[in-house]
Amino acid sequence: MAGGFRRSGQQRQPKLQGKGTLEKMEREGPFKEWLGMPDLYRHTLVIDGDTYTYQVEDAELPFAPGDKVVFRYKEVKSGKWIDRNSLGTWIDPSTYNQ
């Protein structure tokens, strides 16, 4: 879609970006959305006091409380959902080559 516009003429909402310290992690699942789909795990993450949901096929995430993370997310009626494959470790540029 050129220019970020939908067919109806409405502009697409830009993705929200977040960064912060991971304070707490909880996992639920596995869930099966439909037949033939791999199991999904729902991770509830508390980042800088805000609660986010991250749903992926991985039972374990490569993060621990205290890690700085970055991500893209969207706000929906059921809460804040982190986009699939957008969650990563934040690297402080000032300490990168040390």
Side-chain angles (χ1 to χ4, degrees), residues 21-39:
T21 303
L22 179 61
E23 298 172 357
K24 184 178 172 184
M25 298 172 51
E26 293 180 3
R27 179 186 72 210
E28 296 178 71
F31 298 102
K32 254 224 208 285
E33 295 292 321
W34 60 80
L35 186 63
M37 184 173 182
D39 291 341

Side-chain angles (χ1 to χ4, degrees), residues 22 24-31 39-46 52-63:
L22 179 61
K24 184 178 172 184
M25 298 172 51
E26 293 180 3
R27 179 186 72 210
E28 296 178 71
F31 298 102
D39 291 341
L40 293 175
Y41 294 88
R42 192 168 297 141
H43 301 273
T44 302
L45 309 175
V46 177
Y52 299 87
T53 303
Y54 185 54
Q55 186 167 286
V56 289
E57 296 173 10
D58 304 322
E60 300 296 325
L61 296 177
F63 308 105

Side-chain angles (χ1 to χ4, degrees), residues 1-96:
M1 293 179 208
F5 286 90
R6 297 181 179 191
R7 289 183 200 192
S8 64
Q10 294 177 340
Q11 191 164 2
R12 180 182 297 187
Q13 290 287 84
K15 296 287 182 174
L16 299 170
Q17 296 179 8
K19 174 175 79 171
T21 303
L22 179 61
E23 298 172 357
K24 184 178 172 184
M25 298 172 51
E26 293 180 3
R27 179 186 72 210
E28 296 178 71
F31 298 102
K32 254 224 208 285
E33 295 292 321
W34 60 80
L35 186 63
M37 184 173 182
D39 291 341
L40 293 175
Y41 294 88
R42 192 168 297 141
H43 301 273
T44 302
L45 309 175
V46 177
I47 302 169
D48 285 349
D50 290 326
T51 302
Y52 299 87
T53 303
Y54 185 54
Q55 186 167 286
V56 289
E57 296 173 10
D58 304 322
E60 300 296 325
L61 296 177
F63 308 105
D67 289 351
K68 292 233 184 229
V69 294
V70 293
F71 51 93
R72 287 187 319 269
Y73 69 99
K74 61 184 169 188
E75 292 182 357
V76 294
K77 289 180 185 177
S78 61
K80 297 177 182 177
W81 286 75
I82 296 176
D83 287 356
R84 199 170 188 163
N85 299 323
S86 77
L87 183 62
T89 302
W90 180 67
I91 299 170
D92 183 355
S94 66
T95 63
Y96 184 68

